[in-house]
Amino acid sequence: MPSWERIKEDFPIFHNLGSGYTYLDSAATSQKPLFVINAISDFYLYHNSNVHRGIYRLSEEATEMYDRSRENVSRFIGSRDPGQIVFVRNATEGLNLLSYTLGREMAQGDEILITIMEHHSNIVPWQFLQDRGIKLVYADIRPDGTLDMDDLQSKMSPRTRIVSVTHVSNVLGTVNPVREIGKMAHDNGSTFIVDGAQSVPHMPVDVEAMGCDFMAFSGHKMLGPTGIGVLYGRKELLERMHPFMGGGEMISEVYRDYSTWAEVPEKFEAGTPDIAGAIGLSAAVDYLRSMGMDNVMKHGRDLIRLTLEMEEEENIPGLVSYGPRDTEIRGPVYSFSIGDISPFSVNQTLSEDGIGVGASIHPHDVASSLDASGIAVRSGHHCAMPLTHRLNTVATTRASYYIYNTEEDVRKLFRSLKRTAEVYSR
Ligand code: PMP
């Protein structure tokens, strides 16, 4: 078991910010260990050249490093063939690729089934297809923040061509039963897509066991650099699909009037790829693997469990939080509000007899106040506006944890929240 108290030492940013700095925004992006930073600079210092083009030694070295990174990422998510790993910029690009390519094969009246807890990157690309008469259908959540599986089932129809679901919600932390959803989707003859942006960094993920057709995720949320992400796709599907972007690398032959395509995955990697990014992501995978993804998941659950316990103990007036209380189905994300922050509310939460029971504090003010104590959290709609509205609010504050966070970080969060609530209720 890794020593969680010591892991911060691997991350230069914490030396630079000072040991008292508490970073609780890893659901937005994670910090990077020196191991990853070194892998990227090593590439630029000693191996930099373009891939798949040169006949010279340096280019062969770069190509080998790039290809090895693909193999490493493939193994990490349980894919049996590195040809199923397409390097993209991020989860968003992976999902846009799918909307473009799968959308070409869809007809008016076809349906895409998603959930109300999706990130905008698993909503907006599908909305692009609506002007061709393709319908976007939403499955709802239950009051405890879990996905309403009966609603999901009832919304599957013979026209449902795609079911696309987040594995872990970036607001609620809900871990969705993707294996079960995949079976339902396949029984219905639908293609099953998983948004793995918040799961791959935090838990063991095996695409074969999960039974998904595609999964998209981002390197920067799992200790890797920004600018590199992955779209996993079943080989036979990738082979059948039309390319996304055209240009160099993705072709076999180009004539004046037409072109033929390279094999997958190159067919989907037009232009010079983010070579250093892929190498950095592979280093991040090595680092995470050395900790054991079971241990990473357990650490996240321990921190969320403590968070929910502290929430009950501290009993901050007006504090409401969202998402399942069962830590077995909860990622390390904690979203909450203090008081009613609907646009029509007054600035005090009142009890029935009209006595103030606590302040109503806008999430941006909560975040600013925590920042003054050296705690970084996010506030707003977290790129999940339909979910925010479904929760009947306009914004929340979100603390999210990763391997470098400790129990002391959770305690510090609640000490500062308590102080903030007291100051605002004066
Ligand atoms: N899906 C989920 C669940 C996310 O949390 C995020 C990032 N917040 C994304 C997709 C998009 O990731 P990126 O911005 O790296 O493309």
Side-chain angles (χ1 to χ4, degrees):
M1 181 75 74
S3 160
W4 302 111
E5 302 295 327
R6 287 190 36 216
I7 279 175
K8 260 189 184 163
E9 291 169 19
D10 290 352
F11 292 74
I13 198 161
F14 294 122
H15 296 276
N16 300 331
L17 292 170
S19 58
Y21 195 81
T22 302
Y23 184 75
L24 302 182
D25 196 20
S26 294
T29 199
S30 69
Q31 297 302 342
K32 323 299 174 197
L34 188 59
F35 185 72
V36 167
I37 298 168
N38 280 344
I40 297 165
S41 28
D42 172 82
F43 171 72
Y44 283 123
L45 287 170
Y46 303 110
H47 309 284
N48 179 51
S49 63
N50 213 331
V51 290
H52 299 148
R53 283 182 195 156
I55 309 294
Y56 51 94
R57 187 181 54 80
L58 200 61
S59 173
E60 282 166 5
E61 247 169 59
T63 303
E64 202 187 307
M65 290 170 83
Y66 184 64
D67 290 346
R68 252 192 282 128
S69 301
R70 196 192 301 280
E71 281 163 29
N72 200 20
V73 171
S74 175
R75 253 184 297 120
F76 186 66
I77 58 164
S79 148
R80 65 190 137 74
D81 181 347
Q84 306 190 113
I85 303 298
V86 178
F87 282 128
V88 289
R89 274 193 308 144
N90 44 37
T92 302
E93 187 173 296
L95 292 163
N96 274 274
L97 187 158
L98 292 176
S99 152
Y100 179 82
T101 52
L102 300 178
R104 285 173 62 101
E105 299 164 14
M106 292 171 68
Q108 186 170 10
D110 280 347
E111 293 171 9
I112 296 163
L113 177 56
I114 61 173
T115 82
I116 198 69
M117 67 170 88
E118 299 309 315
H119 186 277
H120 295 163
S121 62
N122 197 24
I123 299 175
V124 183
W126 306 117
Q127 287 176 343
F128 289 166
L129 303 176
Q130 289 180 133
D131 55 9
R132 289 188 22 228
I134 293 163
K135 224 172 115 193
L136 192 49
V137 181
Y138 290 82
D140 202 3
I141 49 171
R142 302 186 191 108
D144 66 354
T146 57
L147 185 60
D148 187 335
M149 295 292 282
D150 295 333
D151 195 48
L152 185 86
Q153 180 73 78
S154 75
K155 284 178 175 156
M156 276 186 202
S157 85
R159 296 304 300 265
T160 307
R161 297 284 307 278
I162 291 172
V163 176
S164 188
V165 169
T166 192
H167 194 172
V168 176
S169 160
N170 66 316
V171 176
L172 303 166
T174 313
V175 180
N176 285 318
V178 279
R179 204 187 279 219
E180 201 181 324
I181 299 169
K183 182 160 186 325
M184 285 159 68
H186 288 152
D187 286 349
N188 194 57
S190 317
T191 300
F192 181 47
I193 301 170
V194 173
D195 173 355
Q198 297 292 349
S199 61
V200 177
H202 296 282
M203 58 199 274
V205 170
D206 184 320
V207 283
E208 304 280 348
M210 195 197 288
C212 62
D213 296 308
F214 298 96
M215 181 177 75
F217 59 100
S218 298
H220 68 94
K221 293 182 198 282
M222 52 186 288
L223 312 179
T226 50
I228 188 81
V230 172
L231 176 68
Y232 158 83
R234 281 207 295 121
K235 192 100 174 254
E236 57 273 31
L237 299 179
L238 290 174
E239 278 168 348
R240 226 182 47 207
M241 278 153 54
H242 194 274
F244 179 37
M245 285 191 273
E249 297 282 317
M250 52 73 69
I251 49 83
S252 170
E253 290 169 328
V254 177
Y255 300 96
R256 287 186 181 217
D257 299 332
Y258 76 98
S259 303
T260 57
W261 315 135
E263 300 286 307
V264 295
E266 281 81 14
K267 182 170 94 175
F268 293 102
E269 293 184 3
T272 300
D274 184 354
I275 308 163
I279 290 165
L281 173 58
S282 178
V285 160
D286 286 340
Y287 186 94
L288 283 170
R289 196 185 273 127
S290 76
M291 321 213 118
M293 289 310 289
D294 278 321
N295 292 328
V296 170
M297 179 172 72
K298 181 176 179 309
H299 183 60
R301 282 183 182 169
D302 287 347
L303 293 180
I304 270 294
R305 190 175 305 109
L306 178 64
T307 303
L308 299 179
E309 281 165 16
M310 297 276 314
E311 180 190 278
E312 284 184 16
E313 258 168 50
E314 295 297 340
N315 199 19
I316 294 169
L319 188 142
V320 279
S321 71
Y322 306 93
R325 310 295 289 182
D326 178 357
T327 54
E328 296 292 305
I329 51 161
R330 175 83 181 243
V333 172
Y334 178 64
S335 297
F336 60 93
S337 314
I338 301 182
D340 176 6
I341 54 139
S342 85
F344 307 105
S345 72
V346 291
N347 201 34
Q348 283 280 319
T349 307
L350 300 180
S351 62
E352 269 175 19
D353 55 7
I355 297 166
V357 292
S360 182
I361 318 173
H362 195 281
H364 290 336
D365 293 330
V366 175
S368 300
S369 171
L370 294 176
D371 185 45
S373 313
I375 303 175
V377 293
R378 184 149 292 245
S379 58
H381 52 61
H382 315 295
C383 295
M385 280 180 84
L387 174 63
T388 311
H389 295 152
R390 176 67 183 83
L391 297 174
N392 213 9
T393 185
V394 289
T396 62
T397 309
R398 180 185 73 188
S400 53
Y401 307 119
Y402 209 12
I403 50 171
Y404 33 71
N405 293 119
T406 59
E407 294 193 348
E408 174 48 25
D409 290 339
V410 179
R411 294 206 172 86
K412 185 173 167 190
L413 171 69
F414 276 90
R415 278 199 301 274
S416 298
L417 276 179
K418 205 167 174 188
R419 242 189 342 261
T420 303
E422 278 163 13
V423 168
Y424 273 81
S425 62
R426 271 182 209 145

